[in-house]
Amino acid sequence: MLRLAGARLLDDRDYPAVRAALAADPVGSCMVSARVEAAGLDPWRLGGELWAADSRPVRAGRLQGLCFSGPNLIPLRGNAPALRSFADRALRRQRTCSSLVGPAEQVLGLWDELEGEWGPAREVRDDQPLMALDSTPLVAADPLVRPVRPDELERYLPAAVAMFIEEVGVDPRSGDGGASYRARVTELIGAGRAFARFEDGEVVFKAEIGAMSATVGQIQGVWVHPDRRGDGLGTAGTAAVVNRLVRGLGRTASLYVNAFNTPALAAYRKIGFKQVGQYATVLF
């Protein structure tokens, strides 16, 4: 197959065009927007690279394609030629990302280009409704759900690990003994973005605000203790986190969920979430 020249690494000259592209879809781009707002476009501070399919800096107008390459590969926009250019650049180096995630059309199109070299995937989740809520939840929030304190890390961490294994299918403690995952959870707790309901010192509900831009907060890691499932803790607990985002922080609450997870979908719709897009995830 004839390939295009690889994607271009973005720099500070592209910042206005990048911000405009991210602002055009604030919910879908939350994970990348949060990084760019905090760190700009410098790869070292950003924790990854931003790529465009355009051959030269865009001083005015719209970027034709945009992709973040870091711990995850996140294609946010781009037609077929743009996705081929992203694939070309990604294939120049050894894969280091743990997943390919983002808007379904871009993710699945990019995976078509990468699968021959990077496949097979451990799992392809091709239908993940992206949902948002910018008003008070339609159900009562659990008053016992609160931010986790730094001194509660050891009690919170087992629930976080259990959630990760259930959701992702691998143990986050493998490889480095859990040091990286522990550091990430510690960071979320320190930022006041990990929430839980404790009963007798044990976590029975947990959730986190994984990424937070100036306008959107993305809820992740929603988990209920197996012995307490079916009691409504997930719905009321998530509503409490939504309240924190919408009423406390002035953000739109967002999340994405596997379409096959019908109980979770029903709970989020009961809270008031509406689907605003579709995500997909390729797990390595």
Side-chain angles (χ1 to χ4, degrees):
M1 179 183 296
L2 179 64
R3 293 288 183 177
L4 303 178
R8 178 175 62 86
L9 177 64
L10 296 173
D11 59 34
D12 288 339
R13 295 172 295 173
D14 302 290
Y15 189 81
V18 170
R19 293 295 299 128
L22 297 175
D25 183 12
V27 175
S29 66
C30 177
M31 288 186 285
V32 177
S33 293
R35 287 177 173 269
V36 171
E37 289 170 8
L41 302 187
D42 177 74
W44 188 85
R45 290 184 291 115
L46 188 62
E49 298 178 346
L50 267 178
W51 304 338
D54 310 84
S55 60
R56 60 182 61 86
V58 179
R59 302 187 185 281
R62 175 178 174 178
L63 287 169
Q64 297 304 306
L66 184 63
C67 182
F68 173 76
S69 176
N72 304 299
L73 190 60
I74 308 175
L76 290 176
R77 64 165 57 184
N79 56 17
L83 296 176
R84 285 197 294 271
S85 74
F86 296 150
D88 283 339
R89 189 172 185 104
L91 291 171
R92 293 177 192 172
R93 64 190 77 176
Q94 183 177 4
R95 179 184 63 79
T96 58
C97 60
S98 61
S99 71
L100 175 57
V101 60
E105 181 179 0
Q106 280 69 43
V107 166
L108 299 177
L110 183 53
W111 180 235
D112 283 344
E113 300 290 336
L114 294 170
E115 186 175 9
E117 296 290 335
W118 284 6
R122 183 164 54 84
E123 185 178 356
V124 177
R125 300 176 178 179
D126 59 2
D127 186 3
Q128 298 178 306
L130 177 65
M131 311 183 83
L133 176 59
D134 62 2
S135 59
T136 302
L138 301 179
V139 300
D142 186 343
L144 297 182
V145 170
R146 57 170 177 79
V148 180
R149 301 190 307 266
D151 65 290
E152 294 173 317
L153 171 65
E154 299 303 332
R155 286 191 285 168
Y156 182 80
L157 194 58
V161 169
M163 176 281 304
F164 194 97
I165 293 173
E166 285 186 37
E167 176 62 24
V168 182
V170 297
D171 191 327
R173 297 166 296 186
S174 61
D176 65 357
S180 297
Y181 188 67
R182 182 186 182 92
R184 173 59 176 162
V185 173
T186 300
E187 177 186 9
L188 289 169
I189 291 174
R193 287 162 44 189
F195 300 83
R197 171 173 171 155
F198 291 88
E199 292 183 358
D200 298 323
E202 185 177 26
V203 174
V204 295
F205 166 85
K206 68 161 287 294
E208 296 144 5
I209 303 170
M212 190 162 65
S213 71
T215 58
V216 179
Q218 189 176 86
I219 299 172
Q220 67 174 30
V222 178
W223 179 87
V224 177
H225 192 287
D227 293 343
R228 298 298 307 277
R229 291 174 187 176
D231 294 347
L233 291 180
T235 302
T238 303
V241 182
V242 170
N243 267 342
R244 174 61 177 160
L245 275 168
V246 174
R247 298 171 60 183
L249 298 172
R251 264 78 166 180
T252 293
S254 77
L255 52 81
Y256 61 100
V257 59
N258 294 311
F260 59 75
N261 191 346
T262 51
L265 269 173
Y268 297 145
R269 287 169 177 154
K270 185 176 181 180
I271 292 167
F273 279 95
K274 303 293 184 183
Q275 184 170 352
V276 297
Q278 183 184 3
Y279 259 31
T281 302
V282 178
L283 295 170
F284 300 117

